[in-house]
Amino acid sequence: MKILRSISEFHQWRQNQVKPIHFVPTMGALHEGHRSLLMRAKSDHEANPEQGLVVLSIFVNPTQFNDPNDLKNYPSTWDADVEMAQAAGVDVLFAPQFSDIYPDQYRYFISENHWSQILCGATRPGHFNGVLTVVMKLMQIVQPKKAYFGEKDYQQLMLVQQMISAFFMNIEIVGVPTVRESSGLALSSRNTRLSPEGRDKARWIYYHLKNSKTTNEASEKLLQLGFQIDYLEEHWGRRFAAVFIEGVRLIDNVAI
Ligand code: AMP
Protein backbone atom coordinates (compact mmCIF):
# COMPACT_ATOMS: atom_id res chain seq x y z
CA MET A 1 0.00 0.00 0.00
CA LYS A 2 1.32 3.42 -0.96
CA ILE A 3 0.87 6.34 1.45
CA LEU A 4 0.70 9.64 -0.46
CA ARG A 5 0.62 12.82 1.58
CA SER A 6 0.30 15.57 -1.01
CA ILE A 7 -1.68 16.32 -4.14
CA SER A 8 1.48 16.43 -6.26
CA GLU A 9 2.49 12.95 -5.05
CA PHE A 10 -1.02 11.73 -5.77
CA HIS A 11 -1.05 13.26 -9.27
CA GLN A 12 2.27 11.65 -10.02
CA TRP A 13 0.88 8.24 -9.08
CA ARG A 14 -2.49 8.84 -10.73
CA GLN A 15 -1.19 9.83 -14.16
CA ASN A 16 0.32 6.37 -14.66
CA GLN A 17 -2.86 4.47 -13.74
CA VAL A 18 -5.09 3.04 -16.43
CA LYS A 19 -7.35 1.01 -14.14
CA PRO A 20 -10.46 2.70 -12.72
CA ILE A 21 -10.36 3.96 -9.15
CA HIS A 22 -12.77 2.98 -6.38
CA PHE A 23 -12.67 5.74 -3.80
CA VAL A 24 -13.54 5.75 -0.07
CA PRO A 25 -13.25 9.23 1.53
CA THR A 26 -13.02 9.33 5.35
CA MET A 27 -11.83 11.41 8.28
CA GLY A 28 -9.85 8.52 9.78
CA ALA A 29 -10.30 6.92 13.22
CA LEU A 30 -11.33 3.92 11.14
CA HIS A 31 -13.75 1.28 12.44
CA GLU A 32 -15.79 -1.61 11.04
CA GLY A 33 -18.16 0.83 9.28
CA HIS A 34 -15.27 2.21 7.24
CA ARG A 35 -13.98 -1.33 6.71
CA SER A 36 -17.29 -2.31 5.21
CA LEU A 37 -16.96 0.53 2.65
CA LEU A 38 -13.41 -0.61 1.84
CA MET A 39 -14.49 -4.24 1.46
CA ARG A 40 -17.28 -3.18 -0.87
CA ALA A 41 -14.84 -1.08 -2.92
CA LYS A 42 -12.46 -4.02 -3.01
CA SER A 43 -15.05 -6.62 -3.97
CA ASP A 44 -16.46 -4.39 -6.73
CA HIS A 45 -12.95 -4.56 -8.06
CA GLU A 46 -12.67 -8.32 -7.74
CA ALA A 47 -15.95 -8.80 -9.61
CA ASN A 48 -13.95 -7.84 -12.67
CA PRO A 49 -10.24 -8.60 -12.48
CA GLU A 50 -9.63 -6.16 -15.32
CA GLN A 51 -10.58 -3.22 -13.18
CA GLY A 52 -10.25 -1.34 -9.96
CA LEU A 53 -7.76 0.14 -7.53
CA VAL A 54 -8.95 1.13 -4.06
CA VAL A 55 -8.03 4.61 -2.86
CA LEU A 56 -8.79 5.59 0.74
CA SER A 57 -8.49 9.21 1.81
CA ILE A 58 -8.03 10.37 5.39
CA PHE A 59 -8.56 14.08 5.87
CA VAL A 60 -10.20 15.68 8.91
CA ASN A 61 -11.96 18.47 7.08
CA PRO A 62 -12.13 21.60 9.27
CA THR A 63 -14.69 23.40 7.09
CA GLN A 64 -17.42 20.90 7.98
CA PHE A 65 -17.04 21.36 11.74
CA ASN A 66 -19.24 24.16 13.01
CA ASP A 67 -18.13 23.43 16.60
CA PRO A 68 -14.38 24.06 17.22
CA ASN A 69 -14.47 21.73 20.25
CA ASP A 70 -15.81 18.87 18.14
CA LEU A 71 -12.90 19.39 15.71
CA LYS A 72 -10.37 19.63 18.53
CA ASN A 73 -11.66 16.40 20.12
CA TYR A 74 -12.02 14.45 16.86
CA PRO A 75 -10.13 11.17 17.43
CA SER A 76 -6.98 10.36 15.50
CA THR A 77 -5.67 6.77 15.31
CA TRP A 78 -3.18 6.95 12.44
CA ASP A 79 -1.17 3.76 13.10
CA ALA A 80 -4.28 1.60 13.53
CA ASP A 81 -5.81 3.24 10.43
CA VAL A 82 -2.77 2.32 8.32
CA GLU A 83 -2.97 -1.24 9.61
CA MET A 84 -6.68 -1.55 8.83
CA ALA A 85 -6.24 -0.02 5.37
CA GLN A 86 -3.44 -2.43 4.58
CA ALA A 87 -5.43 -5.44 5.81
CA ALA A 88 -8.44 -4.35 3.74
CA GLY A 89 -6.32 -4.35 0.57
CA VAL A 90 -6.23 -0.59 -0.01
CA ASP A 91 -3.88 0.30 -2.87
CA VAL A 92 -3.33 3.96 -1.97
CA LEU A 93 -3.89 5.84 1.26
CA PHE A 94 -4.15 9.54 0.42
CA ALA A 95 -3.67 11.85 3.42
CA PRO A 96 -3.33 15.46 2.29
CA GLN A 97 -2.77 18.59 4.42
CA PHE A 98 -5.17 21.51 4.88
CA SER A 99 -2.98 23.88 2.85
CA ASP A 100 -3.01 21.40 -0.02
CA ILE A 101 -6.78 21.06 -0.10
CA TYR A 102 -7.59 24.72 0.61
CA PRO A 103 -5.00 26.83 -1.27
CA ASP A 104 -7.82 29.40 -1.68
CA GLN A 105 -8.42 29.46 2.11
CA TYR A 106 -12.05 28.41 1.46
CA ARG A 107 -12.92 31.48 -0.64
CA TYR A 108 -14.64 29.11 -3.06
CA PHE A 109 -17.14 26.52 -1.90
CA ILE A 110 -20.05 24.36 -3.02
CA SER A 111 -23.40 25.46 -1.63
CA GLU A 112 -26.65 23.52 -1.77
CA ASN A 113 -29.73 25.46 -0.77
CA HIS A 114 -32.52 22.96 -0.27
CA TRP A 115 -32.03 19.54 1.34
CA SER A 116 -28.88 20.73 3.12
CA GLN A 117 -31.03 23.11 5.19
CA ILE A 118 -32.88 20.45 7.21
CA LEU A 119 -31.78 17.81 9.77
CA CYS A 120 -27.99 18.12 10.32
CA GLY A 121 -27.92 21.25 8.13
CA ALA A 122 -30.44 23.08 10.32
CA THR A 123 -28.44 22.73 13.52
CA ARG A 124 -24.93 22.68 12.03
CA PRO A 125 -24.86 25.79 9.83
CA GLY A 126 -22.36 25.50 6.99
CA HIS A 127 -21.76 21.79 7.67
CA PHE A 128 -22.88 20.53 4.27
CA ASN A 129 -21.11 23.36 2.40
CA GLY A 130 -17.93 22.03 4.00
CA VAL A 131 -18.79 18.40 3.21
CA LEU A 132 -19.77 19.00 -0.41
CA THR A 133 -16.77 21.26 -1.02
CA VAL A 134 -14.25 18.75 0.28
CA VAL A 135 -15.95 15.87 -1.57
CA MET A 136 -15.87 17.90 -4.80
CA LYS A 137 -12.18 18.74 -4.31
CA LEU A 138 -11.28 15.11 -3.50
CA MET A 139 -13.24 13.85 -6.53
CA GLN A 140 -11.34 16.31 -8.78
CA ILE A 141 -8.02 15.06 -7.43
CA VAL A 142 -8.76 11.33 -7.25
CA GLN A 143 -10.88 11.11 -10.45
CA PRO A 144 -12.63 7.90 -9.37
CA LYS A 145 -15.05 5.74 -11.33
CA LYS A 146 -16.97 4.83 -8.17
CA ALA A 147 -17.10 6.32 -4.66
CA TYR A 148 -18.50 4.71 -1.51
CA PHE A 149 -20.50 6.45 1.23
CA GLY A 150 -22.26 5.08 4.32
CA GLU A 151 -26.02 5.18 4.85
CA LYS A 152 -25.26 6.15 8.43
CA ASP A 153 -24.80 9.68 7.06
CA TYR A 154 -27.83 9.32 4.82
CA GLN A 155 -28.40 13.03 4.21
CA GLN A 156 -24.74 13.37 3.20
CA LEU A 157 -25.01 10.36 0.86
CA MET A 158 -28.08 11.87 -0.80
CA LEU A 159 -26.55 15.34 -1.15
CA VAL A 160 -23.34 13.92 -2.63
CA GLN A 161 -25.33 11.78 -5.10
CA GLN A 162 -27.34 14.82 -6.21
CA MET A 163 -24.24 17.05 -6.46
CA ILE A 164 -22.55 14.50 -8.74
CA SER A 165 -25.64 14.53 -10.93
CA ALA A 166 -26.03 18.36 -10.84
CA PHE A 167 -22.46 18.85 -12.05
CA PHE A 168 -22.61 16.05 -14.69
CA MET A 169 -19.75 14.16 -13.06
CA ASN A 170 -19.21 10.69 -14.38
CA ILE A 171 -18.88 8.96 -10.98
CA GLU A 172 -21.09 6.23 -9.55
CA ILE A 173 -21.96 6.85 -5.90
CA VAL A 174 -22.49 3.60 -3.98
CA GLY A 175 -24.43 3.67 -0.68
CA VAL A 176 -23.34 1.11 1.93
CA PRO A 177 -25.63 -0.05 4.79
CA THR A 178 -24.88 1.09 8.35
CA VAL A 179 -22.66 -1.23 10.38
CA ARG A 180 -23.81 -1.59 14.01
CA GLU A 181 -22.54 -3.04 17.27
CA SER A 182 -24.45 -6.14 18.40
CA SER A 183 -26.43 -3.78 20.69
CA GLY A 184 -27.69 -1.94 17.60
CA LEU A 185 -25.57 1.18 18.18
CA ALA A 186 -24.31 2.55 14.84
CA LEU A 187 -20.51 2.51 14.73
CA SER A 188 -19.06 6.00 14.79
CA SER A 189 -15.63 7.48 15.45
CA ARG A 190 -17.35 9.66 18.08
CA ASN A 191 -18.45 6.58 20.12
CA THR A 192 -14.90 6.41 21.49
CA ARG A 193 -15.55 9.65 23.38
CA LEU A 194 -18.33 8.03 25.46
CA SER A 195 -17.87 6.45 28.90
CA PRO A 196 -18.73 2.70 29.08
CA GLU A 197 -22.10 3.69 30.62
CA GLY A 198 -22.74 6.26 27.89
CA ARG A 199 -21.90 3.76 25.19
CA ASP A 200 -24.23 1.21 26.73
CA LYS A 201 -27.03 3.75 26.92
CA ALA A 202 -26.46 4.91 23.33
CA ARG A 203 -27.92 1.63 22.03
CA TRP A 204 -31.38 3.00 22.84
CA ILE A 205 -31.11 5.50 19.98
CA TYR A 206 -31.43 2.77 17.35
CA TYR A 207 -33.91 0.78 19.44
CA HIS A 208 -36.39 3.64 19.79
CA LEU A 209 -35.89 4.91 16.23
CA LYS A 210 -36.75 1.45 14.99
CA ASN A 211 -39.48 0.38 17.40
CA SER A 212 -41.50 3.54 18.10
CA LYS A 213 -44.77 4.06 16.26
CA THR A 214 -44.24 7.82 15.86
CA THR A 215 -41.45 10.37 16.08
CA ASN A 216 -43.14 11.80 19.19
CA GLU A 217 -43.03 8.44 20.92
CA ALA A 218 -39.35 7.98 20.02
CA SER A 219 -38.51 11.51 21.26
CA GLU A 220 -40.33 10.96 24.56
CA LYS A 221 -38.58 7.66 25.20
CA LEU A 222 -35.15 9.15 24.50
CA LEU A 223 -35.85 12.26 26.59
CA GLN A 224 -36.91 10.03 29.52
CA LEU A 225 -33.58 8.25 29.24
CA GLY A 226 -31.76 11.60 29.55
CA PHE A 227 -30.77 12.19 25.94
CA GLN A 228 -30.82 15.74 24.66
CA ILE A 229 -32.51 15.76 21.26
CA ASP A 230 -31.16 17.86 18.42
CA TYR A 231 -33.77 16.57 15.96
CA LEU A 232 -35.94 13.51 15.44
CA GLU A 233 -37.81 13.67 12.14
CA GLU A 234 -39.00 11.61 9.19
CA HIS A 235 -38.07 12.30 5.56
CA TRP A 236 -37.77 10.21 2.40
CA GLY A 237 -39.29 7.13 4.07
CA ARG A 238 -36.70 7.18 6.84
CA ARG A 239 -36.60 8.25 10.48
CA PHE A 240 -33.60 10.39 11.46
CA ALA A 241 -32.20 11.44 14.83
CA ALA A 242 -29.33 13.48 16.20
CA VAL A 243 -28.97 13.35 19.97
CA PHE A 244 -26.44 14.42 22.56
CA ILE A 245 -25.16 12.11 25.25
CA GLU A 246 -22.29 13.09 27.58
CA GLY A 247 -21.82 16.13 25.32
CA VAL A 248 -21.21 13.91 22.26
CA ARG A 249 -23.50 14.32 19.27
CA LEU A 250 -24.55 11.02 17.67
CA ILE A 251 -26.68 10.50 14.56
CA ASP A 252 -28.57 7.53 13.20
CA ASN A 253 -31.39 6.74 10.77
CA VAL A 254 -33.60 3.78 9.89
CA ALA A 255 -35.94 2.92 7.04
CA ILE A 256 -39.61 3.04 8.12
P1 AMP B 1 -16.34 9.69 8.47
O1 AMP B 1 -14.92 9.25 8.61
O2 AMP B 1 -17.12 9.65 9.73
O3 AMP B 1 -16.46 10.98 7.71
O4 AMP B 1 -17.03 8.59 7.55
C1 AMP B 1 -16.48 8.21 6.30
C2 AMP B 1 -17.49 7.34 5.58
O5 AMP B 1 -17.78 6.19 6.38
C3 AMP B 1 -18.83 8.06 5.36
O6 AMP B 1 -19.31 7.73 4.06
C4 AMP B 1 -19.70 7.48 6.43
O7 AMP B 1 -21.07 7.48 6.11
C5 AMP B 1 -19.17 6.05 6.52
N1 AMP B 1 -19.52 5.45 7.82
C6 AMP B 1 -19.27 5.95 9.05
N2 AMP B 1 -19.79 5.14 10.01
C7 AMP B 1 -20.39 4.12 9.35
C8 AMP B 1 -21.12 2.96 9.76
N3 AMP B 1 -21.34 2.68 11.04
N4 AMP B 1 -21.59 2.13 8.80
C9 AMP B 1 -21.37 2.37 7.49
N5 AMP B 1 -20.69 3.45 7.04
C10 AMP B 1 -20.21 4.31 7.94
Side-chain angles (χ1 to χ4, degrees), residues 1-17 55 78 91-97 100-101 141-142:
M1 181 178 79
K2 280 188 191 312
I3 299 181
L4 304 178
R5 291 179 179 274
S6 71
I7 295 177
S8 58
E9 278 178 49
F10 190 87
H11 277 154
Q12 226 167 1
W13 173 80
R14 183 70 179 87
Q15 71 191 6
N16 297 317
Q17 306 309 318
V55 171
W78 176 257
D91 294 289
V92 166
L93 166 48
F94 176 46
Q97 302 301 307
D100 243 355
I101 296 291
I141 301 162
V142 175

Side-chain angles (χ1 to χ4, degrees), residues 13-252:
W13 173 80
R14 183 70 179 87
Q15 71 191 6
N16 297 317
Q17 306 309 318
V18 285
K19 292 182 178 176
I21 306 287
H22 294 174
F23 180 39
V24 179
T26 77
M27 298 204 296
L30 302 183
H31 51 63
E32 286 299 311
H34 299 112
R35 208 167 76 88
S36 147
L37 268 61
L38 293 171
M39 298 320 281
R40 181 72 187 274
K42 191 73 190 168
S43 63
D44 265 2
H45 151 205
E46 276 156 10
N48 176 354
E50 287 284 278
Q51 63 160 243
L53 291 169
V54 177
V55 171
L56 162 72
S57 69
I58 294 185
F59 177 66
V60 181
N61 175 37
T63 65
Q64 73 188 69
F65 285 82
N66 56 312
D67 173 359
N69 264 334
D70 191 25
L71 175 60
K72 201 178 86 203
N73 294 323
Y74 202 81
S76 167
T77 56
W78 176 257
D79 292 342
D81 290 357
V82 170
E83 216 170 290
M84 179 184 279
Q86 211 140 21
V90 168
D91 294 289
V92 166
L93 166 48
F94 176 46
Q97 302 301 307
F98 178 82
S99 55
D100 243 355
I101 296 291
Y102 290 102
D104 62 330
Q105 292 293 322
Y106 204 44
R107 282 190 302 124
Y108 291 89
F109 58 86
I110 300 280
S111 171
E112 196 276 353
N113 63 21
H114 191 73
W115 295 123
S116 64
Q117 306 299 303
I118 62 168
L119 301 173
C120 284
T123 49
R124 299 184 71 188
H127 169 66
F128 285 116
N129 289 351
V131 169
L132 294 176
T133 302
V134 80
V135 169
M136 175 63 92
K137 284 170 180 266
L138 290 169
M139 296 297 196
Q140 296 300 333
I141 301 162
V142 175
Q143 299 281 328
K145 178 162 193 272
K146 296 186 178 193
Y148 300 78
F149 289 83
E151 286 182 357
K152 183 189 160 257
D153 302 278
Y154 193 88
Q155 189 180 13
Q156 166 177 287
L157 164 64
M158 207 192 68
L159 286 165
V160 167
Q161 236 152 12
Q162 293 176 2
M163 173 179 78
I164 295 298
S165 158
F167 289 97
F168 313 110
M169 296 164 79
N170 192 18
I171 300 170
E172 183 188 334
I173 302 298
V174 181
V176 179
T178 303
V179 177
R180 301 178 179 281
E181 291 185 353
S182 54
S183 70
L185 173 63
L187 296 187
S188 162
S189 308
R190 291 186 175 86
N191 292 352
T192 58
R193 288 166 52 195
L194 298 172
S195 71
E197 298 76 41
R199 198 163 175 144
D200 184 49
K201 200 162 146 183
R203 74 197 145 106
W204 293 109
I205 304 167
Y206 175 62
Y207 182 88
H208 289 302
L209 272 183
K210 200 167 91 147
N211 295 313
S212 300
K213 288 201 180 62
T214 62
T215 51
N216 272 351
E217 182 188 329
S219 297
E220 273 166 31
K221 293 267 169 55
L222 290 172
L223 282 170
Q224 277 163 16
L225 286 161
F227 290 93
Q228 187 192 326
I229 294 178
D230 192 4
Y231 62 74
L232 205 158
E233 296 172 23
E234 290 174 358
H235 299 274
W236 317 303
R238 300 185 83 86
R239 186 175 286 165
F240 293 83
V243 302
F244 286 94
I245 173 170
E246 297 177 341
V248 180
R249 186 174 179 280
L250 300 178
I251 61 170
D252 201 351

